[in-house]
Amino acid sequence: MTFKNILAYAKSLDEKDPLAKYRSEFNFPKVNGKDAIYFTGNSLGLQPKRAVEYVNEVMKDWGELAVEGHFYADKPWWDYHERFREPLSAIVGALPEEITVMNTLTVNLHLMMISFYKPTAQRYKIICEEKAFPSDQYMIQSQVKVHGLDPKETIIEVKRRKGEHNFRTEDILAAIEEAGEELALVLMGGLNYYTGQVLDIEKITASAQEQGAKVGWDLAHAAGNIELKLHEWNVDFAAWCSYKYMNAGPGSASGCFVHERYHDDESIVRLGGWWGHNKEKRFLMEQDFDPIHSADGWQISNPSILSLAPYLASVEMFAEVGMKALIEKRDKITAYLEFVLQDIANEEQASYEVITPQNSSERGSQVSLFLHGKGKNLFKYLMEQGVIVDWREPNVVRLAPVPLYTSYEDVFNFGQILKKASRII
Ligand SMILES: *Cc1c(COP(=O)(O)O)cnc(C)c1O
């Protein structure tokens, strides 16, 4: 595809864009009185106007019905979370009963580790990636300590090769093979939050399972961004947050996948609570825990409906659009952003380097730029000019053109601002 770094051309792409109409469904922050160019949907997605309606609906039901809202609200609270099954299963490639929504991401990963990390004297090691998202590192270290083990001897971090920004699948597979019968669990980020690299979830899962290990994925940056087939890829468990590409608002509920083969597996221990108990008998207040025969059997508390409401509005929008159309635009707009960056780099001899893989099957809608030299001043300039981007130490700016609300014109305008910046900074 040949692009042009020209306003009229960007506008023509917007005119042909089947998703363009969704832009008006979101509230944009303003900078200098104008809608910002928002490139941080990978960190906190914009607010869908429908989310405001859904939250207001819960507030209204609470005011008008109080406790009766559990059963008599338009969307009753006692099974509100079940509304996510169908739309979320389409987003992450799961069976509807393999999906549940509860808690927040790190909490869900803890719960999953309680169920799926059962170290023995022979099999206890965990593989993750080097420099994983800090919350994941803390989570894994603390789980290891819960079992009385030493994180240093238990956690194997797969490294990038010297001078390379991305992981090589062959290196991950080699680490798995080397750990062999000592390997209990592989738990990695499906889409690296720093570089935007997508890992080969299917291959890594199969290879670790061949060694007899369980495999879980943190899909914080992957859910709602890349094609996933969790069921088909035979993943054991996965969890993701809803407030990044899924636009459900700060700290909203997390989605969780548990493969169906575990739903009735009594050897898998889970932390119990009344919301995971047989739904028909939930209010009988019986003594014995009888877990629901689906991922809902991992629920503990009655979920925060105010946190589910914006997420529901958002997943319904995803269901309407479909991942296929979303991914088509994602690939095109990400490629356009890359083209504009390259065009400006050529013209201005700018010194930045894209560290995100170029192949569209190895990335989502994120381009990470390593800034040689300019660093923070450039970041500050962009922010002042109304481009909301994200800075990660030591020298990386992450740009996420989100297919639901970023326009090609945004990308063009960003390029113009970057060009000016290259001249004055
Ligand atoms: C965003 C993110 C988190 C956030 O965890 P919370 O529990 O929602 O605060 C965790 N892991 C990864 C990889 C992330 O990108």
Side-chain angles (χ1 to χ4, degrees):
M1 179 127 208
T2 48
F3 293 118
K4 292 179 203 148
N5 188 11
I6 296 172
L7 178 60
Y9 176 77
K11 285 188 167 176
S12 78
L13 291 182
D14 283 325
E15 272 159 31
K16 284 180 269 174
D17 171 14
L19 302 194
K21 60 176 186 281
Y22 283 94
R23 183 177 169 89
S24 64
E25 294 240 13
F26 290 86
N27 289 318
F28 281 74
K30 299 248 191 275
V31 179
N32 308 326
K34 284 197 309 201
D35 282 356
I37 297 173
Y38 195 73
F39 279 151
T40 35
N42 58 329
S43 189
L44 185 78
L46 288 183
Q47 180 184 67
K49 293 175 183 168
R50 298 185 202 190
V52 179
E53 276 171 39
Y54 275 46
V55 171
N56 287 342
E57 182 188 34
V58 175
M59 294 301 281
K60 187 165 171 286
D61 286 337
W62 175 25
E64 291 176 359
L65 300 169
V67 72
E68 300 275 67
H70 280 297
F71 297 105
Y72 302 112
D74 267 353
K75 300 187 186 86
W77 307 330
W78 82 300
D79 59 1
Y80 199 99
H81 58 280
E82 292 177 9
R83 294 170 185 272
F84 289 85
R85 273 186 197 157
E86 293 289 337
L88 264 182
S89 65
I91 294 171
V92 300
L95 303 177
E97 58 273 24
E98 290 172 326
I99 296 291
T100 194
V101 176
M102 57 185 185
N103 314 308
T104 44
L105 172 55
T106 311
V107 172
N108 282 341
L109 290 172
H110 271 298
L111 296 181
M112 291 296 111
M113 278 193 75
I114 295 277
S115 290
F116 294 101
Y117 177 56
K118 292 187 290 184
T120 63
Q122 286 75 39
R123 192 185 280 284
Y124 61 96
K125 290 196 172 159
I126 301 175
I127 287 184
C128 63
E129 73 275 33
E130 119 185 284
K131 296 207 176 106
F133 192 85
S135 195
D136 297 36
Q137 296 186 47
Y138 310 149
M139 185 263 308
I140 295 174
Q141 289 161 12
S142 62
Q143 284 285 336
V144 165
K145 288 184 192 163
V146 163
H147 292 282
L149 298 170
D150 178 356
K152 280 203 194 72
E153 285 166 18
T154 308
I155 303 168
I156 303 166
E157 291 188 353
V158 179
K159 309 231 179 304
R160 300 167 172 93
R161 291 192 191 182
K162 210 160 184 270
E164 294 186 9
H165 294 294
N166 292 295
F167 296 100
R168 294 202 190 191
T169 308
E170 72 230 56
D171 292 349
I172 300 171
L173 300 183
I176 290 171
E177 204 173 327
E178 198 189 324
E181 290 184 355
E182 289 182 343
L183 185 63
L185 177 72
V186 172
L187 179 48
M188 299 181 121
L191 193 154
N192 187 271
Y193 77 99
Y194 188 71
T195 59
Q197 179 189 16
V198 174
L199 295 185
D200 191 332
I201 297 176
E202 183 177 17
K203 229 183 224 166
I204 294 167
T205 301
S207 139
Q209 287 170 342
E210 225 166 84
Q211 299 296 337
K214 297 278 194 289
V215 188
W217 291 92
D218 177 337
L219 301 176
H221 288 267
N225 181 19
I226 63 169
E227 185 180 35
L228 294 165
K229 296 181 180 168
L230 298 182
H231 178 79
E232 200 181 308
W233 295 341
N234 206 35
V235 165
D236 293 302
F237 67 88
W240 55 92
C241 48
S242 57
Y243 48 81
K244 292 176 178 166
Y245 288 100
M246 307 252 263
N247 315 316
S252 262
S254 154
C256 197
F257 164 91
V258 182
H259 196 281
E260 66 168 342
R261 65 178 160 273
Y262 300 114
H263 298 175
D264 296 321
D265 182 344
E266 287 179 9
S267 73
I268 299 287
V269 180
R270 54 187 100 178
L271 297 188
W274 71 326
W275 235 250
H277 183 77
N278 182 337
K279 207 172 105 187
E280 305 313 318
K281 298 200 269 173
R282 185 179 291 155
F283 295 97
L284 298 181
M285 305 294 178
E286 293 172 332
Q287 188 178 11
D288 290 330
F289 181 53
D290 172 15
I292 300 169
H293 303 286
S294 72
D296 283 343
W298 272 262
Q299 293 249 346
I300 295 179
S301 295
N302 77 101
S304 161
I305 303 298
L306 283 170
S307 132
L308 296 187
Y311 194 13
L312 186 61
S314 165
V315 294
E316 286 180 359
M317 199 183 290
F318 272 77
E320 224 171 88
V321 174
M323 284 307 289
K324 191 167 171 283
L326 210 86
I327 286 169
E328 267 170 33
K329 174 161 176 200
R330 178 203 75 188
D331 283 347
K332 195 164 166 185
I333 198 164
T334 310
Y336 187 54
L337 172 61
E338 205 171 40
F339 168 82
V340 166
L341 286 168
Q342 191 56 53
D343 193 56
I344 292 162
N346 294 346
E347 211 175 304
E348 305 294 326
Q349 283 143 13
S351 53
Y352 46 72
E353 179 192 354
V354 173
I355 60 172
T356 306
Q358 298 204 317
N359 182 347
S360 70
S361 67
E362 289 172 62
R363 69 179 183 195
S365 59
Q366 176 184 330
V367 174
S368 295
L369 275 189
F370 196 95
L371 305 171
H372 294 284
K374 305 213 158 132
K376 265 213 155 133
N377 288 340
L378 177 60
F379 166 72
K380 278 192 198 133
Y381 180 82
L382 292 174
M383 294 291 280
E384 280 160 19
Q385 297 300 311
V387 187
I388 301 186
V389 294
D390 163 291
W391 172 265
R392 289 288 136 143
E393 296 294 342
N395 219 359
V396 165
V397 165
R398 301 185 301 173
L399 311 165
V402 176
L404 275 178
Y405 51 74
T406 308
S407 66
Y408 293 91
E409 192 177 339
D410 280 342
V411 174
F412 171 81
N413 288 336
F414 159 71
Q416 295 301 298
I417 294 168
L418 183 67
K419 197 192 288 193
K420 225 184 256 167
S422 308
R423 289 181 186 165
I424 60 180
I425 290 169

